[in-house]
Amino acid sequence: MTRDFLEATCVECPRGCRLSVRRAGGEVSVSGAACPRGEAWGRRELLSPARVLTGTVRTTSSDMPRLPVRTREAIPLDKLMEAARALSSVIASGPLVPGDPVVEDFAGLGVDLLATACLPPDSLP
């Protein structure tokens, strides 16, 4: 989907500037940004929106049946739902600490899926 206009609230800082982003003739203009970070965010949001995926995956631990996870980097917005569905096929086993990769190159997107909590080693039966 190609857009030529976007109005959005910037999320780069707590200020929450109301941005208007326009594309005309190959040029992108951003108005309403109070800082360069907001201007850069507005351009990215119009040209290639992306989000960090967060969720939970199953584990092999009876003490902690679900592990919270997130992608290391933002993924293209048009791939977000597909990636969210792929979480259901992931089963994590410990030990893991926050920041450890649970899956490398998650869903073929070129980003790792990371643990965001500690998962103890699997307990013996």
Side-chain angles (χ1 to χ4, degrees):
M1 172 177 84
T2 302
R3 297 183 291 182
D4 291 321
F5 179 73
L6 170 71
E7 285 190 337
T9 301
C10 179
V11 297
E12 282 295 297
C13 76
R15 185 176 217 155
C17 296
R18 187 74 181 150
L19 305 182
S20 293
V21 188
R22 296 182 191 280
R23 177 179 19 203
E27 294 288 322
V28 176
S29 65
V30 179
S31 62
C35 68
R37 287 175 45 199
E39 185 171 339
W41 180 86
R43 288 176 189 282
R44 281 192 315 271
E45 192 64 15
L46 179 71
L47 300 174
S48 58
R51 302 289 185 274
V52 171
L53 173 66
T54 62
T56 62
V57 297
R58 292 179 291 162
T59 75
T60 56
S61 171
S62 58
D63 295 331
M64 187 175 185
R66 305 291 298 181
L67 175 71
V69 295
R70 70 173 182 87
T71 53
R72 183 180 303 272
E73 300 169 7
I75 59 176
L77 190 57
D78 63 348
K79 301 287 185 185
L80 192 66
M81 291 306 294
E82 177 185 335
R85 283 190 290 275
L87 290 174
S88 67
S89 65
V90 175
I91 301 175
S93 40
L96 294 169
V97 297
D100 280 353
V102 176
V103 178
E104 293 180 352
D105 189 20
F106 175 64
L109 294 168
V111 298
D112 296 342
L113 187 66
L114 306 178
T116 61
C118 291
L119 179 62
D122 295 339
S123 53
L124 296 174

